[in-house]
Amino acid sequence: AWSAGFGMTSVENPLPATETTLFQIGSITKTFVGTAMMRLVERGDLDLDAKVRTYIPDFRVTDAAASAGATIRHLLTHTSGWAGDYFHGTGDGPDALARYVADMSELPQVAPLGTHWSYNNAGFTVAGRILEVVTGMPFEEALAELILAPLELGQAYLDPGEVMTRRFAVGHASGDDGPQVARPWVLGRGTYPMGGLVCHVQDMLRYARFHLGNEGAAGGEDPLLSREALALMQTPQVSVRGTDSWGLPWSVVQHARLDPGEGGSVRLVSHGGGTKGQTSLLALVPEYEFALVVLTNSDTGGKLYDEVRRWVLREYLALDDPKPEAVEARPEDLAVHSGRYRGFFTNWELGMLNGKLVGQAVYNRGFPNESVPPPPAPPPVSLGLCEADRLVALDGPGKGDRADVIRNEDGSIGWLRISGRLHVRED
C-alpha cells in the first residue's frame, strides 16, 4: 500500500498533514456499523429482516406503518423513508443513542417505507442503538470489540478526548478571505454511528484490505467475517438509478471498461463521508483487489476526491467514469420541473429565468446539531437535463452534481432527489 500526506492540519495552528494525521471520516463510519451488524448476523444474534421493534419495542416515527414495519435491512440500505438528516444533540451520557432514537418520534415520513432510496443518517443511530441492545455494551465498546480491536485499528477513535492528544486535522470552510477553520469540530455522541469515527489513512487502508478479503476476513480458525458475508455486503440490495445501487451499506456502481473489447463492467464499491469541513472517500474495486482512500479537511474536498477517483479509475484500472453533460432541452421541457420541493434539512425551489431552469436551496437546520444555526442560503444554481428525469448543475460549487426526478405512478413528479436526499414536491 502507498500513502502520503499533503497540506496542513489547520490554518490557525498549522502542522504538516502526514500518513498518521487523524481525520474525521464521517459517514464511512456507517460501513463499520454495517460490518459489526454482519458479525452479529453470522453469530446468530441478529436477523437482517427482523423488525426494528424486535430489538427496540417502543420505536416509532410519525408514520405508523414505517414504525411497525421497518427492518434492519431498511436501515442499512437507506430505504426507511423517514427524514434522515436529523442532527440532534442528546448529550454525552451513556443514554445518548437511546434518547436520540426516542426523539425520532417527531420525524416525518418523506416516502413510504421501502419504496425509494434516500440517504438516511438517522437510521444508523437506530442501528447503533440495536448494537447496544444486542451486545449489552455502549456503542463505542461494541464497535471496538466487534471491529476495531480484531482488525488492529489502533488509531481509530470515537471519543474526542482520545483524538485531542494526537495530531489531527480540523475542517475548513472556504470563503472570500481563504479557508477558515470550521467549528464546532465535535460531533455529538448520539450521532456517532452515522459518522463519528476518526482515524488515519493507514488504518483506513488496513480496513480496506479486510473488505477486499485480504486481512482477517476468511480462513484460519476464527475468521472475522466469512467471504460470503463480505460478498453480501457488496451485493446490490436496492436499485438507486441505472447502474447505481446500494448494498449493506455500501454504494455499488458498475463502470464500463475504456476498452469495450475487454467486455463487461467492473463493480466499484464505495462510501463517502462529510463532517464540518472534512470530506473523505473509501473506494474498493474487488475485481482488482484495489482500494483508494482520500481524506481531506476542506468543505471543497469532495471535488478533489472526485477528480482523484476518476483519474485513478482511468489511469490504473482503465475504467470509464464520464462526467455528466447537459443535453439540448427546450424551455418547456425544463419548466416542468419548476416548483417547491420540501426536505427536512433543506428546501429547494426551482423556476424558470430567461429561458433557463434555476434552483435555489434554503437550509432549515444547522450541523452537527440544532444549536448551530442554519448556514446562509447558497447562490442559485443553473440546471440542465443530462438524461431523461435527471438534472445536472451547470455552475457553482456543485457543478456536475446530479439530481434525480422521481415520479408517481400517474407520471407526475413526486420527489426530487438532491444530494441523495428525497425532497417532496409541494406544487
Side-chain angles (χ1 to χ4, degrees):
W2 179 88
S3 60
F6 305 93
M8 62 183 67
T9 59
S10 169
V11 296
E12 293 184 4
N13 298 284
L15 291 172
T18 72
E19 301 171 6
T20 55
T21 298
L22 299 173
F23 285 78
Q24 292 180 335
I25 65 169
S27 288
I28 298 174
T29 304
K30 293 179 174 69
T31 70
F32 287 76
V33 174
T35 306
M37 299 197 97
M38 289 303 297
R39 284 210 70 193
L40 297 181
V41 168
E42 287 215 307
R43 287 183 353 192
D45 296 333
L46 201 65
D47 181 351
L48 287 175
D49 294 308
K51 301 290 196 297
V52 169
R53 283 184 171 175
T54 302
Y55 308 98
I56 310 175
D58 57 352
F59 172 77
R60 67 186 179 94
V61 289
T62 58
D63 184 84
S67 302
T71 67
I72 292 175
R73 194 181 298 270
H74 286 125
L75 302 179
L76 297 185
T77 58
H78 301 274
T79 53
S80 63
W82 56 70
D85 286 333
Y86 185 47
F87 303 120
H88 175 51
T90 53
D92 296 324
D95 62 345
L97 270 66
R99 291 177 57 196
Y100 180 105
V101 173
D103 290 347
M104 284 176 60
S105 60
E106 68 183 53
L107 289 187
Q109 198 73 10
V110 180
L113 176 70
T115 57
H116 299 296
W117 181 87
S118 183
Y119 194 83
N120 197 297
N121 280 292
F124 276 80
T125 290
V126 180
R129 176 59 184 152
I130 291 173
L131 285 178
E132 291 186 331
V133 171
V134 173
T135 64
M137 295 183 284
F139 171 73
E140 298 89 337
E141 293 180 18
L143 195 67
E145 180 174 299
L146 291 168
I147 304 299
L148 305 183
L151 291 181
E152 299 180 351
L153 304 180
Q155 299 292 311
Y157 306 102
L158 287 161
D159 181 3
E162 293 282 357
V163 177
M164 68 182 295
T165 61
R166 297 165 172 85
R167 181 176 296 196
F168 66 97
V170 302
H172 294 83
S174 54
D176 295 338
D177 298 325
Q180 305 293 319
V181 172
R183 295 181 172 90
W185 185 91
V186 174
L187 274 66
R189 190 173 181 181
T191 61
Y192 281 178
M194 64 176 76
L197 268 173
V198 180
C199 65
H200 57 53
V201 68
Q202 292 183 342
D203 269 0
M204 286 297 296
L205 288 170
R206 179 187 293 270
Y207 178 67
R209 283 195 294 270
F210 161 71
H211 272 283
L212 289 171
N214 292 333
E215 188 162 320
E221 295 181 0
D222 186 23
L224 193 62
L225 271 184
S226 69
R227 294 192 183 276
E228 291 76 15
L230 289 175
L232 178 62
M233 293 182 70
Q234 300 171 14
T235 299
Q237 304 290 310
V238 57
S239 175
V240 178
R241 182 185 172 102
T243 61
D244 296 1
S245 56
W246 210 262
L248 295 167
W250 295 97
S251 166
V252 184
V253 179
Q254 296 291 332
H255 286 282
R257 302 178 194 270
L258 288 173
D259 182 359
E262 294 186 4
S265 59
V266 176
R267 181 167 41 103
L268 177 73
V269 178
S270 67
H271 211 295
T275 58
K276 195 78 169 179
Q278 299 196 50
T279 54
S280 54
L281 173 70
L282 170 59
L284 313 172
V285 187
E287 181 173 328
Y288 293 107
E289 297 190 348
F290 187 92
L292 169 68
V293 177
V294 183
L295 308 177
T296 81
N297 59 338
S298 168
D299 61 355
T300 61
K303 294 300 177 185
L304 171 64
Y305 76 56
D306 188 60
E307 291 294 332
V308 171
R309 177 181 56 82
R310 292 177 190 277
W311 184 86
V312 165
L313 291 179
R314 182 179 66 250
E315 300 297 327
Y316 278 79
L317 306 177
L319 298 178
D320 193 21
D321 187 16
K323 292 184 177 181
E325 299 286 346
V327 298
E328 289 291 332
R330 299 174 301 173
E332 53 266 36
D333 294 330
L334 295 171
V336 297
H337 304 99
S338 297
R340 291 184 176 88
Y341 296 86
R342 174 178 47 83
F344 187 75
F345 191 79
T346 311
N347 292 339
W348 278 86
E349 185 167 355
L350 273 58
M352 297 299 293
L353 181 64
N354 298 325
K356 296 182 179 180
L357 183 64
V358 177
Q360 176 65 64
V362 176
Y363 294 102
N364 301 322
R365 291 169 170 78
F367 176 86
N369 56 61
E370 56 273 271
S371 69
V372 178
V381 59
S382 299
L383 299 166
L385 275 172
C386 59
E387 56 183 280
D389 283 344
R390 178 167 269 191
L391 302 172
V392 60
L394 304 178
D395 50 32
K399 182 179 180 181
D401 291 348
R402 289 169 288 191
D404 296 327
V405 177
I406 300 177
R407 298 184 180 272
N408 297 307
E409 291 185 1
D410 63 4
S412 63
I413 296 175
W415 300 266
L416 194 63
R417 185 166 53 208
I418 303 179
S419 299
R421 279 75 168 173
L422 287 178
H423 297 70
V424 181
R425 186 170 188 170
E426 294 193 314
D427 61 5

